[in-house]
mmCIF file of all heavy atoms in Angstrom:
data_model
loop_
_atom_site.group_PDB
_atom_site.id
_atom_site.type_symbol
_atom_site.label_atom_id
_atom_site.label_comp_id
_atom_site.label_asym_id
_atom_site.label_seq_id
_atom_site.Cartn_x
_atom_site.Cartn_y
_atom_site.Cartn_z
ATOM 1 N N VAL A 74 13.069 10.179 2.613
ATOM 2 C CA VAL A 74 11.985 11.177 2.703
ATOM 3 C C VAL A 74 12.510 12.389 3.447
ATOM 4 O O VAL A 74 12.944 12.281 4.596
ATOM 5 C CB VAL A 74 10.754 10.613 3.443
ATOM 6 C CG1 VAL A 74 9.671 11.681 3.576
ATOM 7 C CG2 VAL A 74 10.192 9.394 2.728
ATOM 8 N N SER A 75 12.496 13.550 2.795
ATOM 9 C CA SER A 75 12.861 14.786 3.480
ATOM 10 C C SER A 75 11.608 15.389 4.102
ATOM 11 O O SER A 75 10.492 15.038 3.738
ATOM 12 C CB SER A 75 13.494 15.778 2.508
ATOM 13 O OG SER A 75 12.520 16.240 1.574
ATOM 14 N N GLU A 76 11.808 16.301 5.042
ATOM 15 C CA GLU A 76 10.656 16.910 5.714
ATOM 16 C C GLU A 76 9.743 17.609 4.715
ATOM 17 O O GLU A 76 8.532 17.578 4.836
ATOM 18 C CB GLU A 76 11.143 17.902 6.777
ATOM 19 C CG GLU A 76 10.015 18.506 7.586
ATOM 20 C CD GLU A 76 10.504 19.365 8.739
ATOM 21 O OE1 GLU A 76 11.726 19.610 8.814
ATOM 22 O OE2 GLU A 76 9.673 19.795 9.539
ATOM 23 N N ALA A 77 10.329 18.211 3.680
ATOM 24 C CA ALA A 77 9.530 18.941 2.684
ATOM 25 C C ALA A 77 8.635 18.003 1.873
ATOM 26 O O ALA A 77 7.543 18.370 1.462
ATOM 27 C CB ALA A 77 10.441 19.716 1.741
ATOM 28 N N GLU A 78 9.092 16.774 1.662
ATOM 29 C CA GLU A 78 8.333 15.831 0.844
ATOM 30 C C GLU A 78 7.128 15.265 1.568
ATOM 31 O O GLU A 78 6.209 14.735 0.945
ATOM 32 C CB GLU A 78 9.228 14.681 0.385
ATOM 33 C CG GLU A 78 10.240 15.067 -0.671
ATOM 34 C CD GLU A 78 11.184 13.920 -0.973
ATOM 35 O OE1 GLU A 78 11.523 13.164 -0.052
ATOM 36 O OE2 GLU A 78 11.585 13.815 -2.139
ATOM 37 N N GLY A 79 7.132 15.375 2.894
ATOM 38 C CA GLY A 79 6.046 14.782 3.667
ATOM 39 C C GLY A 79 4.680 15.343 3.343
ATOM 40 O O GLY A 79 3.671 14.677 3.500
ATOM 41 N N ALA A 80 4.625 16.595 2.863
ATOM 42 C CA ALA A 80 3.350 17.244 2.598
ATOM 43 C C ALA A 80 2.753 16.862 1.241
ATOM 44 O O ALA A 80 1.642 17.243 0.932
ATOM 45 C CB ALA A 80 3.506 18.756 2.680
ATOM 46 N N GLN A 81 3.493 16.111 0.425
ATOM 47 C CA GLN A 81 2.995 15.758 -0.899
ATOM 48 C C GLN A 81 1.990 14.622 -0.797
ATOM 49 O O GLN A 81 2.303 13.566 -0.239
ATOM 50 C CB GLN A 81 4.149 15.325 -1.811
ATOM 51 C CG GLN A 81 5.170 16.413 -2.079
ATOM 52 C CD GLN A 81 6.293 15.912 -2.970
ATOM 53 O OE1 GLN A 81 6.127 14.960 -3.712
ATOM 54 N NE2 GLN A 81 7.439 16.565 -2.895
ATOM 55 N N PRO A 82 0.775 14.821 -1.315
ATOM 56 C CA PRO A 82 -0.198 13.738 -1.273
ATOM 57 C C PRO A 82 0.228 12.585 -2.176
ATOM 58 O O PRO A 82 0.834 12.799 -3.223
ATOM 59 C CB PRO A 82 -1.486 14.398 -1.780
ATOM 60 C CG PRO A 82 -1.027 15.557 -2.604
ATOM 61 C CD PRO A 82 0.249 16.031 -1.980
ATOM 62 N N HIS A 83 -0.081 11.388 -1.776
ATOM 63 C CA HIS A 83 0.189 10.159 -2.536
ATOM 64 C C HIS A 83 1.682 9.905 -2.720
ATOM 65 O O HIS A 83 2.053 9.064 -3.536
ATOM 66 C CB HIS A 83 -0.478 10.202 -3.920
ATOM 67 C CG HIS A 83 -1.928 10.526 -3.884
ATOM 68 N ND1 HIS A 83 -2.848 9.744 -3.209
ATOM 69 C CD2 HIS A 83 -2.632 11.552 -4.420
ATOM 70 C CE1 HIS A 83 -4.056 10.280 -3.343
ATOM 71 N NE2 HIS A 83 -3.949 11.366 -4.054
ATOM 72 N N HIS A 84 2.544 10.609 -1.981
ATOM 73 C CA HIS A 84 3.979 10.419 -2.182
ATOM 74 C C HIS A 84 4.416 9.119 -1.519
ATOM 75 O O HIS A 84 4.287 8.939 -0.306
ATOM 76 C CB HIS A 84 4.764 11.593 -1.602
ATOM 77 C CG HIS A 84 6.245 11.462 -1.794
ATOM 78 N ND1 HIS A 84 6.873 11.772 -2.971
ATOM 79 C CD2 HIS A 84 7.218 11.009 -0.954
ATOM 80 C CE1 HIS A 84 8.175 11.536 -2.857
ATOM 81 N NE2 HIS A 84 8.405 11.079 -1.636
ATOM 82 N N VAL A 85 4.923 8.197 -2.331
ATOM 83 C CA VAL A 85 5.410 6.916 -1.827
ATOM 84 C C VAL A 85 6.855 6.728 -2.295
ATOM 85 O O VAL A 85 7.162 6.915 -3.466
ATOM 86 C CB VAL A 85 4.541 5.746 -2.328
ATOM 87 C CG1 VAL A 85 5.123 4.414 -1.882
ATOM 88 C CG2 VAL A 85 3.108 5.889 -1.828
ATOM 89 N N SER A 86 7.736 6.389 -1.360
ATOM 90 C CA SER A 86 9.136 6.125 -1.693
ATOM 91 C C SER A 86 9.407 4.641 -1.544
ATOM 92 O O SER A 86 9.079 4.044 -0.513
ATOM 93 C CB SER A 86 10.063 6.911 -0.757
ATOM 94 O OG SER A 86 9.844 8.297 -0.879
ATOM 95 N N CYS A 87 9.988 4.040 -2.575
ATOM 96 C CA CYS A 87 10.325 2.616 -2.544
ATOM 97 C C CYS A 87 11.823 2.445 -2.774
ATOM 98 O O CYS A 87 12.425 3.190 -3.541
ATOM 99 C CB CYS A 87 9.554 1.846 -3.615
ATOM 100 S SG CYS A 87 7.756 1.860 -3.387
ATOM 101 N N PHE A 88 12.404 1.466 -2.107
ATOM 102 C CA PHE A 88 13.814 1.171 -2.317
ATOM 103 C C PHE A 88 14.035 -0.309 -2.057
ATOM 104 O O PHE A 88 13.256 -0.971 -1.364
ATOM 105 C CB PHE A 88 14.706 2.025 -1.406
ATOM 106 C CG PHE A 88 14.349 1.951 0.056
ATOM 107 C CD1 PHE A 88 14.942 0.996 0.877
ATOM 108 C CD2 PHE A 88 13.433 2.827 0.600
ATOM 109 C CE1 PHE A 88 14.615 0.918 2.213
ATOM 110 C CE2 PHE A 88 13.095 2.748 1.946
ATOM 111 C CZ PHE A 88 13.680 1.797 2.752
ATOM 112 N N SER A 89 15.106 -0.841 -2.615
ATOM 113 C CA SER A 89 15.391 -2.261 -2.456
ATOM 114 C C SER A 89 16.036 -2.511 -1.100
ATOM 115 O O SER A 89 16.772 -1.674 -0.576
ATOM 116 C CB SER A 89 16.327 -2.735 -3.573
ATOM 117 O OG SER A 89 17.543 -2.010 -3.530
ATOM 118 N N ALA A 90 15.744 -3.668 -0.542
ATOM 119 C CA ALA A 90 16.309 -4.063 0.745
ATOM 120 C C ALA A 90 17.472 -5.009 0.487
ATOM 121 O O ALA A 90 17.288 -6.102 -0.036
ATOM 122 C CB ALA A 90 15.243 -4.741 1.592
ATOM 123 N N HIS A 91 18.677 -4.573 0.861
ATOM 124 C CA HIS A 91 19.852 -5.412 0.603
ATOM 125 C C HIS A 91 19.913 -6.611 1.539
ATOM 126 O O HIS A 91 20.467 -7.646 1.207
ATOM 127 C CB HIS A 91 21.123 -4.568 0.727
ATOM 128 C CG HIS A 91 21.269 -3.564 -0.374
ATOM 129 N ND1 HIS A 91 21.532 -3.922 -1.669
ATOM 130 C CD2 HIS A 91 21.143 -2.213 -0.376
ATOM 131 C CE1 HIS A 91 21.588 -2.833 -2.433
ATOM 132 N NE2 HIS A 91 21.359 -1.782 -1.664
ATOM 133 N N THR A 92 19.344 -6.452 2.735
ATOM 134 C CA THR A 92 19.252 -7.591 3.657
ATOM 135 C C THR A 92 17.773 -7.837 3.927
ATOM 136 O O THR A 92 17.164 -7.114 4.714
ATOM 137 C CB THR A 92 19.986 -7.289 4.980
ATOM 138 O OG1 THR A 92 19.537 -6.017 5.485
ATOM 139 C CG2 THR A 92 21.485 -7.240 4.766
ATOM 140 N N PRO A 93 17.168 -8.821 3.273
ATOM 141 C CA PRO A 93 15.722 -9.017 3.331
ATOM 142 C C PRO A 93 15.161 -9.201 4.733
ATOM 143 O O PRO A 93 14.033 -8.806 4.996
ATOM 144 C CB PRO A 93 15.512 -10.291 2.499
ATOM 145 C CG PRO A 93 16.708 -10.379 1.618
ATOM 146 C CD PRO A 93 17.828 -9.793 2.399
#
Side-chain angles (χ1 to χ4, degrees):
V74 178
S75 68
E76 184 173 8
E78 288 174 325
Q81 297 179 23
H83 308 300
H84 181 80
V85 176
S86 299
C87 297
F88 53 91
S89 60
H91 291 291
T92 50

